[in-house]
Amino acid sequence: MTPAPDGDVLAGTVAELTWGEVARAAREGAVLLWAFGVIEQHGPHLPAGTDIYLPSAWLREVRVLLAERGVRALIVPPYYWGVNVVSAGFPASWSVRPAVMTEVMADLFAGLAGDGFRHVFCFSGHGDALHNRTVHAGVLAGRERCGVDATFVMEPGLADRLGLTPGDPAVTVLPPTAVPARDGPPDLHAGREETSLMLAGRRDLVRTALLAGLPPTDLGPREVAAWRRGHDHARRITPDGYLGDPAAAGAAHGRTVAADAAERAAHAITERLRHAAA
């Protein structure tokens, strides 16, 4: 997992380039990678910026793999004022209205298209259903208003959950993961997976001393459905702010998950570009 120099989420993004360098990249056909996260509580052991740090690291790895395939990619600074329902009852969990986020995305797509970029690949670091529906709506707005080939790159499970299909031009569904699933209760928020990824990429931000004392949650389908209603429901069901087994996390697992996700994303992007050029 590729950490950002000095932990800066702007490191390696277009924020570090001059306008001339950005213009030249657009003329030369570079594609854009853009992460959409949120500031949201992640239990007592992970920072509120987890959903920004993780997709930012993901895109840095994807960019390297695309370069190996002959595709130049620039990373747009991450968008982090997202939509938050599930953790809305906790401090440090802030949200904007979906309509506001959609309009901001559309305005920014207009700027990217105006600079000459033709392909924008959007990724989400946040599992909230309404957040991801809003990312999809923003991508649709960018496509319709600006003519840019914007697409939401997502896991198959998320596409199914949102009722989206691979035939949707605003969606690029990743190939299935090669990492075996772990048996046991749901691991949906600040559990083994996210904690492992943070241990792999930003261990300095993980409150590792707390991990051993965090028991796994063991929620059934009915409790998970109630938890997803968010606000006071989620805070009552998961008062410590996590759903999963953070004590089972490990950096090695995080590196495996991150490498697999980056490889699948790079493959999906190159396939979409190949079909677009055909």
Side-chain angles (χ1 to χ4, degrees), residues 84-237:
N84 194 351
V85 174
V86 173
S87 286
F90 289 84
S93 302
W94 305 317
S95 184
V96 298
R97 288 165 288 154
V100 171
M101 181 171 167
T102 300
E103 289 303 312
V104 170
M105 288 179 64
D107 284 353
L108 291 170
F109 277 124
L112 301 176
D115 285 344
F117 291 102
R118 296 185 294 116
H119 301 284
V120 186
F121 295 91
C122 301
F123 295 72
S124 176
H126 181 41
D128 194 292
L130 184 55
H131 172 86
N132 288 297
R133 289 192 179 97
T134 304
V135 174
H136 181 250
V139 168
L140 284 174
R143 294 177 60 86
E144 293 168 1
R145 300 183 199 179
C146 312
V148 65
D149 179 28
T151 182
F152 186 178
V153 182
M154 64 177 67
E155 294 284 357
L158 179 58
D160 289 343
R161 185 176 163 213
L162 300 182
L164 302 174
T165 68
D168 185 331
V171 172
T172 295
V173 179
L174 297 174
T177 178
V179 179
R182 182 175 183 248
D183 293 332
D187 189 280
L188 301 179
H189 182 66
R192 178 182 183 239
E193 296 301 302
E194 284 191 307
T195 304
S196 293
L197 288 164
M198 286 297 290
L199 286 171
R202 290 306 311 270
R203 188 181 186 90
D204 58 310
L205 294 178
V206 180
R207 279 59 169 177
T208 53
L210 300 179
L211 291 179
L214 299 178
T217 57
D218 187 4
L219 304 184
R222 183 176 299 178
E223 290 171 304
V224 170
W227 174 81
R228 280 184 162 143
R229 292 167 63 188
H231 301 276
D232 293 341
H233 302 283
R235 191 157 187 180
R236 172 178 53 82
I237 294 167

Side-chain angles (χ1 to χ4, degrees), residues 58-81:
W58 187 12
L59 296 193
R60 287 193 294 272
E61 294 202 33
V62 172
R63 180 179 59 181
V64 171
L65 294 177
L66 288 175
E68 293 173 357
R69 291 163 166 80
V71 177
R72 185 183 180 191
L74 302 184
I75 299 175
V76 179
Y79 178 96
Y80 50 84
W81 296 122

